[in-house]
Amino acid sequence: MRFAAKVRFMVCLLVAWASALASASEDVLRLLERSLSPPDIDYHGTVVLQIGDRVQTLRVTHMNKEGKRVEWVEVLEGEPRETVRIGEEVRCFLPEEKLVLMDRAAGGSGVPYHPRGSVGRIEASYQIEPLGEGREAGREVVGIRLVPRDALRFGQEWWIDKESGIVLKRTIWDEAPVRVLETQFFSDFRVTGLPDVAQVRRKFGAHEDWQRIDLRGRRIEAADTGWAFTVMPAGFELEAVFQRRGPSGKTITQWQIGDGLVSVSVFFEPWDGDEMGEKTDHFGATKVVRRREPGALRTAMGEVPDVTLRALLDAMVRHQGAQ
């Protein structure tokens, strides 16, 4: 084959290869977009959460009935706990304490792991890498790796069910040093044999004789909080602000902040002390930074590095004259 012909042949191969890669990338992005949308199928399964040598198992049910999201999550070991969601109302049942916590969903889901966000915002802060196909919980899946573009967030790896768009396995990892922070996966996943929705509704209305704590808050404008953020960490935006009455009777303000993939919450509660200090804690990928200062208790928490939480707390300033 002459040199010119070889060049034309190689160019044709490269064009075909590039077209195939572009097509695969578009397929991955479409599947990612679907996984970020509210689930449109009913399913039932068992979710395993693994953090180091600690393991927790949950039985989860998700249904869409009469235009409402219906979810039921049961902890299968240790202290018994159940969470039931119908529409935007959420109730958490603690049998050992005979206690029911009532709250409203803030746009997310009680069933792990239903991410929410937008591909456009994710691409701005993460590099999206396809991992090919595989199998999880006996089902065909497609893998995606989300590599952070900076040190303000963790990396994630998803294996998404091809048929439903549900994330069947999610791993969160840190790059400094490289280590897995937590893994969450369905050990079984079924779209048949679900509990009857009437059973879930009965559970939602059960235990009227237990103590009830109403945590339902109201959405407010950021300007009404008495606080402002001078600057957000790169890629993060303020998504919503809520206020609710805390157990102490004082009003707690919550700012919900996200980057299109993860959500961080910042809480403020007034207090009468004048001590100062900072404390950090973590559970798997969820980091917590608490600051105590005269007149204010502030807490930032989310699946991000400590540096991101501290940046948010550092950026908070009181409006002049605010209490």
Side-chain angles (χ1 to χ4, degrees), residues 303-320:
E303 292 178 341
V304 293
D306 294 350
V307 63
T308 308
L309 301 179
R310 289 194 175 94
L312 287 167
L313 293 176
D314 289 343
M316 292 180 71
V317 295
R318 283 184 187 269
H319 291 309
Q320 188 173 3

Side-chain angles (χ1 to χ4, degrees), residues 63-65 70 86 194-203:
M63 294 180 277
N64 294 288
K65 300 297 180 184
V70 178
I86 296 182
L194 275 70
D196 186 79
V197 67
Q199 180 182 356
V200 183
R201 293 186 185 280
R202 286 194 297 271
K203 172 62 67 174

Side-chain angles (χ1 to χ4, degrees), residues 265-298:
S265 287
V266 177
F267 299 92
F268 161 72
E269 180 179 0
W271 79 309
D272 300 326
D274 56 5
E275 303 166 3
M276 299 186 67
E278 180 178 291
K279 181 179 179 182
T280 62
D281 203 352
H282 67 91
F283 180 72
T286 301
K287 307 295 182 178
V288 182
V289 176
R290 299 183 179 91
R291 282 189 185 171
R292 187 174 52 192
E293 52 205 13
L297 294 174
R298 294 185 295 136

Side-chain angles (χ1 to χ4, degrees), residues 127-256:
Q127 181 177 333
I128 302 173
E129 299 178 352
L131 296 176
E133 299 186 0
R135 285 177 64 81
E136 293 290 338
R139 298 175 67 88
E140 295 183 356
V141 294
V142 173
I144 296 175
R145 180 179 289 121
L146 303 167
V147 182
R149 299 185 184 275
D150 53 37
L152 296 174
R153 54 211 98 222
F154 296 132
Q156 299 197 26
E157 185 175 297
W158 296 1
W159 290 91
I160 306 171
D161 183 42
K162 293 174 67 175
E163 179 183 350
S164 67
I166 303 298
V167 179
L168 295 186
K169 182 177 181 180
R170 180 179 71 133
T171 299
I172 305 179
W173 44 273
D174 191 3
E175 290 189 310
V178 176
R179 58 199 171 106
V180 172
L181 299 174
E182 70 177 59
T183 301
Q184 182 176 281
F185 62 92
F186 279 87
S187 60
D188 69 273
F189 180 86
R190 302 186 300 277
V191 295
T192 59
L194 275 70
D196 186 79
V197 67
Q199 180 182 356
V200 183
R201 293 186 185 280
R202 286 194 297 271
K203 172 62 67 174
F204 186 81
H207 306 298
E208 292 290 341
D209 57 326
W210 288 8
Q211 180 186 357
R212 292 175 177 252
I213 297 180
D214 192 342
L215 300 176
R216 289 173 291 191
R218 60 188 181 94
R219 190 162 182 162
I220 65 170
E221 296 296 325
D224 297 332
T225 64
W227 291 83
F229 290 85
T230 56
V231 64
M232 287 286 179
F236 286 88
E237 298 176 3
L238 180 63
E239 297 175 342
V241 185
F242 303 91
Q243 280 189 341
R244 57 171 55 86
R245 188 72 62 184
S248 66
K250 297 180 180 179
T251 298
I252 297 175
T253 303
Q254 175 190 359
W255 292 262
Q256 188 171 296

